[in-house]
Amino acid sequence: MQWYQIAEDVAVMQRPLRAFGIDFGRNVTLLRLKDSRLVIHSTAPFLEADVAAIARFGKPSWLVEATRMHDTFARPARAAFPDLPYLVPAGFAKASGVPTKPLLPSPPDWSGEIDVLPIAGLRALEEHAFYHRRSRTLVVADLLFQFPADTKGWPRTFVRYVMRLPHLRGMSAFFRMMIRDRKKFEASMKTLLQWDFTQIVLAHREPVREEARAMLDQALGDWGFSVGG
């Protein structure tokens, strides 16, 4: 997997993930606590080299899924890290078929370092946002996408006209369809925007390294959501 270290205590491992003839990518985010223990956010079919790279970054201590929809690699991830607590949203265990524990309430060990927010108002997804305080990093699952500006051909057409992301970034039409309670969703976004983040790691494709808050504001505004004070 390709490795990006985007802060002293945050690294992203990206592998290909193809669907509809497009590489959406799958990002595994490593969030390191002060004592070097790691939260492994999102899973993948980890190779021995991947496991070794993770161990060099810190002590693997938790596997985490932020949405019910990300069960694709649950079995190989559990095989790679058989002894770690696997923390997941409601409904995930039934779909994945592997032993898990509830994501909420989050472990007391994370107190003061990592916050977790369930995004309300969604249908079926059970998505959660994470905030790594020390690095000011927001980590989301399918709430947002960002594709490279040089995306061309069929992938560019699909992203712009099917996902309805004319600028190749923002909230996709697919995610918008999963919002069933507008007021609850907006309330969650208002809470999320109280976090002092400066960058966003997404489950798919490129992290947002600059003007992250403006990107989220625009993504919400493009669909007419009101999250102002």
Side-chain angles (χ1 to χ4, degrees):
M1 287 193 284
Q2 189 170 0
W3 179 281
Y4 303 86
Q5 186 162 348
I6 63 172
E8 182 178 354
D9 294 302
V10 181
V12 179
M13 303 172 73
Q14 186 180 85
R15 72 177 300 276
L17 182 66
R18 297 192 67 83
F20 307 109
I22 299 165
D23 181 13
F24 287 91
R26 174 67 174 255
N27 294 330
V28 176
T29 306
L30 308 179
L31 304 175
R32 188 164 58 190
L33 302 185
K34 290 179 181 178
D35 61 8
S36 293
R37 286 183 294 171
L38 292 179
V39 175
I40 304 172
H41 180 293
S42 296
T43 55
F46 298 110
L47 303 177
E48 288 186 14
D50 301 323
V51 174
I54 291 170
R56 286 194 296 270
F57 191 64
K59 180 182 179 181
S61 299
W62 297 273
L63 287 172
V64 165
E65 298 292 358
T67 171
R68 188 190 299 179
M69 302 296 287
H70 282 185
D71 62 321
T72 305
F73 303 118
R75 290 182 182 275
R78 170 49 80 200
F81 295 98
D83 301 323
L84 298 191
Y86 195 173
L87 311 182
V88 301
F92 183 94
K94 184 177 180 180
S96 68
V98 301
T100 60
K101 295 183 178 181
L103 174 57
L104 295 178
S106 56
D109 308 61
W110 300 359
S111 179
E113 297 196 61
I114 296 175
D115 300 317
V116 182
L117 173 70
I119 300 177
L122 302 179
R123 181 185 299 107
L125 293 179
E126 297 289 345
E127 179 156 343
H128 296 68
F130 283 61
Y131 178 54
H132 186 263
R133 294 188 184 185
R134 193 161 55 258
S135 67
R136 299 171 70 187
T137 301
L138 174 66
V139 185
V140 301
D142 298 326
L143 173 66
L144 300 169
F145 282 82
Q146 176 168 259
F147 288 80
D150 61 358
T151 299
K152 296 180 175 63
W154 164 242
R156 185 180 185 90
T157 298
F158 184 91
V159 172
R160 294 188 69 193
Y161 298 107
V162 180
M163 296 178 70
R164 294 181 62 184
L165 299 175
H167 303 294
L168 307 181
R169 55 190 280 172
M171 182 192 301
S172 74
F174 305 130
F175 190 91
R176 175 63 186 89
M177 289 190 300
M178 301 304 291
I179 300 172
R180 59 180 172 79
D181 190 315
R182 188 182 189 93
K183 290 184 178 179
K184 287 183 178 180
F185 176 75
E186 288 179 340
S188 289
M189 292 299 98
K190 288 178 181 179
T191 300
L192 187 154
L193 284 164
Q194 292 175 11
W195 289 339
D196 187 26
F197 60 89
T198 58
Q199 59 183 355
I200 309 174
V201 182
L202 321 176
H204 306 284
R205 296 308 304 243
E206 312 308 313
V208 182
R209 304 295 305 278
E210 298 178 355
E211 299 183 351
R213 300 184 70 85
M215 187 273 207
L216 178 56
D217 283 336
Q218 181 176 351
L220 294 168
D222 285 346
W223 289 104
F225 290 107
S226 175
V227 294

